[in-house]
Amino acid sequence: MVDKLAVHGGPKTIDYKIDYQSYIGEEERQAVDQVMTSGVLSQYLGCWHPDFYGGPRVKQFESDWSAFFGVEHSVAVNSATSGLIAALGAIGIEPGDEVIVSPWTMAASATSILVWGAVPVFADIEDKTFNLCAETIERRITPYTKAVVVTDIFGHPADFEAIMKLARARGLKVIEDTAQAPGARYRGAYAGTLADIGVFSLNYHKHINTGEGGVCVTRDADLAERMRLIRNHGEAVAKDKPMSSLVNIVGFNFRLTELQAAIGIEQLKKLARIVEERIATADGLTAGLKSLKGVEVPYVRSDSTHVYYIYPLKVDFTALGVSRTRVAAALRAEGVPVEEFYENVHRLPIYQNRIAYGSKGFPWRSDVYRGDVSYQLGICPTAERLYDSTYLGIELCAARYSDRETRLIVQAFQKVWQQLDQV
Ligand SMILES: *Cc1c(COP(=O)(O)O)cnc(C)c1O
């Protein structure tokens, strides 16, 4: 005899809200204390001066980041959104260019393209990893394509060897949006280091955080310098600093403070352990859920590790004969934090209405744009099918489950699956 479902008034499997357990601790507190004592909470100057590149903790954080990820240059910024904008500016994206991007990502992966007056072009994702792949990218290349933004979605690296090969052959730059995959591995290298520029996030939902923050990494000294200029009012130093090009050197303030850098230095030391714990939790969920009818547990390609920003399931609700809405409601009633949807960015009103900068449809309806992008439903069938019917994610990004909680989540799924006819 199984318990009545919580959605029908039975006992909840998890009868409390699983709290966000922060990895911010005494180390971060002490680091912040030292900055407070110094009295200098941020040490940037927006003119040509040694402090143009920030204060001691920003510089320390950047060199620690480079050492950890095995890259030459790290550029700390105040968010991954800022980082994506800096990266796209640095590679020379111009108004009217097309940049290929995933529809299955956070909105900022695409809006950062619009910021430069360029046009996001959505390519479909592969079903297994939810990532862009070389085949779907290739189908979207036009004479106007300049670059691709590839997200390592949910913590699984995209297949960058094939993507970079295609990009090199077609003269495209590649930005890796690795906001969700810090510490993930691909063929021995870290995610984030696999493209021309990688962009990490340090917002409070991500594996490690500084409240808000981000880091761009690259092996290219020129791109790194251009990102530092975009970060800090580059146009204001152009009189005094020799520059190879003024293109896209416009005045943003993307500066990370000394307080945040001090926290970041401590958070980076914890990344490996946080990733290990995430993987252990996900493995526990996989062991418990993989035999449930109609459920496909997360795929991990043999050359990669998955760091599980979200724990993504695919469920054949048609075969189960129940709607996703009802199953999700039943799971939530049992106390399991599930999400039925992930973004289909091309469906957002900004693309459907083609209104972004100003009221006249720029950049789509303008002299600079000569292409003919489509945002019609049907352009990304895999992403749309997942959104409409088969995706079900278990929240992990803002959660840290104990072994007991992992077991209870599995039990809740089992309870619901045993009574699907009641759902
Ligand atoms: C969180 C996130 C971002 C934006 O990060 P911020 O630091 O909040 O600006 C960009 N891309 C993806 C895939 C993300 O998950």
Side-chain angles (χ1 to χ4, degrees):
M1 197 41 211
V2 288
D3 281 330
K4 197 167 165 183
L5 293 172
V7 76
H8 297 315
K12 285 169 77 82
T13 311
I14 305 165
D15 59 5
Y16 60 97
K17 186 178 178 313
I18 300 176
D19 260 342
Y20 176 54
Q21 294 176 50
S22 165
Y23 285 94
I24 300 289
E26 197 46 44
E27 302 80 4
E28 287 78 7
R29 183 193 305 279
Q30 284 178 15
V32 165
D33 243 18
Q34 286 174 17
V35 180
M36 293 299 286
T37 304
S38 81
V40 181
L41 310 190
S42 183
Q43 196 177 322
Y44 273 99
L45 279 179
C47 62
W48 194 227
H49 179 280
D51 287 348
F52 179 74
Y53 296 111
R57 284 169 187 85
V58 163
K59 288 173 184 158
Q60 174 76 47
F61 180 46
E62 290 177 337
S63 73
D64 289 359
W65 197 273
S66 293
F68 184 93
F69 287 98
V71 288
E72 279 78 5
H73 310 281
S74 294
V75 180
V77 284
N78 59 2
S79 73
T81 303
S82 303
L84 288 163
I85 295 168
L88 286 154
I91 62 172
I93 294 303
E94 302 207 10
D97 288 345
E98 289 185 346
V99 179
I100 295 170
V101 64
S102 175
W104 190 262
T105 182
M106 198 236 169
S109 313
T111 17
S112 53
I113 297 163
L114 280 173
V115 165
W116 295 104
V119 170
V121 173
F122 297 97
D124 205 8
I125 55 173
E126 50 170 26
D127 183 64
K128 277 186 162 161
T129 64
F130 307 89
N131 283 323
L132 289 184
C133 62
E135 291 73 37
T136 60
I137 292 169
E138 185 160 27
R139 273 183 244 140
R140 289 286 183 268
I141 297 176
T142 74
Y144 312 107
T145 312
K146 286 284 175 61
V148 191
V149 176
V150 180
T151 304
D152 299 312
I153 199 71
F154 300 151
H156 192 294
D159 190 0
F160 270 93
E161 206 163 287
I163 291 171
M164 293 312 288
K165 199 169 150 211
L166 170 71
R168 293 294 175 251
R170 307 296 289 269
L172 309 177
K173 293 280 187 206
V174 182
I175 309 294
E176 182 174 10
D177 178 346
T178 193
Q180 301 187 0
R185 294 269 194 176
Y186 172 80
R187 302 187 181 183
Y190 277 116
T193 69
L194 308 170
D196 294 298
I197 298 173
V199 180
F200 294 87
S201 173
L202 297 166
N203 97 15
Y204 96 109
H205 256 180
K206 301 295 156 60
H207 289 72
I208 58 173
N209 85 89
T210 60
E212 303 288 349
V215 185
C216 304
V217 301
T218 181
R219 298 196 170 80
D220 184 312
D222 185 53
L223 289 180
E225 190 64 6
R226 288 175 56 75
M227 289 193 285
R228 294 185 195 106
L229 290 164
I230 292 169
R231 167 175 73 180
N232 186 17
H233 310 290
E235 82 285 4
V237 304
K239 268 196 310 178
D240 302 321
K241 175 187 158 54
M243 284 186 198
S244 55
S245 161
L246 283 175
V247 172
N248 292 348
I249 305 302
V250 297
F252 289 101
N253 174 350
F254 291 158
R255 306 180 306 210
L256 193 73
T257 66
E258 288 289 285
L259 285 166
Q260 293 164 310
I263 295 169
I265 290 166
E266 297 307 320
Q267 283 280 285
L268 179 59
K269 294 178 192 163
K270 299 181 180 179
L271 177 60
R273 177 167 67 87
I274 292 169
V275 162
E276 226 172 82
E277 289 187 14
R278 277 294 169 94
I279 292 174
T281 299
D283 288 349
L285 293 172
T286 294
L289 301 179
K290 66 174 186 228
S291 54
L292 291 181
K293 186 180 171 208
V295 170
E296 216 179 297
V297 293
Y299 171 79
V300 186
R301 217 179 29 235
S302 61
D303 60 11
S304 297
T305 61
H306 195 318
V307 297
Y308 302 101
Y309 173 72
I310 285 175
Y311 182 88
L313 293 169
K314 275 173 283 186
V315 182
D316 187 346
F317 292 99
T318 311
L320 298 181
V322 282
S323 80
R324 177 172 62 179
T325 313
R326 298 181 76 113
V327 171
L331 286 166
R332 271 197 285 274
E334 298 297 334
V336 181
V338 289
E339 290 292 339
E340 298 151 72
F341 305 106
Y342 198 72
E343 205 69 82
N344 257 191
V345 180
H346 62 299
R347 297 197 202 193
L348 294 176
I350 191 173
Y351 301 109
Q352 292 304 311
N353 301 332
R354 300 188 187 221
I355 293 292
Y357 287 101
S359 59
K360 300 184 185 66
F362 181 85
W364 298 281
R365 299 183 198 98
S366 71
D367 292 346
V368 290
Y369 182 50
R370 314 238 297 283
D372 182 26
V373 67
S374 168
Y375 299 133
Q376 296 278 321
L377 266 189
I379 56 170
C380 297
T382 305
E384 290 168 19
R385 187 183 64 245
L386 286 160
Y387 182 91
D388 287 335
S389 56
T390 54
Y391 171 75
L392 188 71
I394 301 178
E395 168 93 6
L396 267 183
C397 56
R400 180 178 172 188
Y401 303 132
S402 64
D403 292 347
R404 179 170 168 275
E405 286 166 342
T406 307
R407 280 197 302 277
L408 288 175
I409 290 172
V410 169
Q411 273 176 32
F413 268 83
Q414 288 166 340
K415 181 181 170 189
V416 170
W417 253 249
Q418 279 162 9
Q419 307 178 66
L420 281 171
D421 53 336
Q422 307 287 309
V423 160

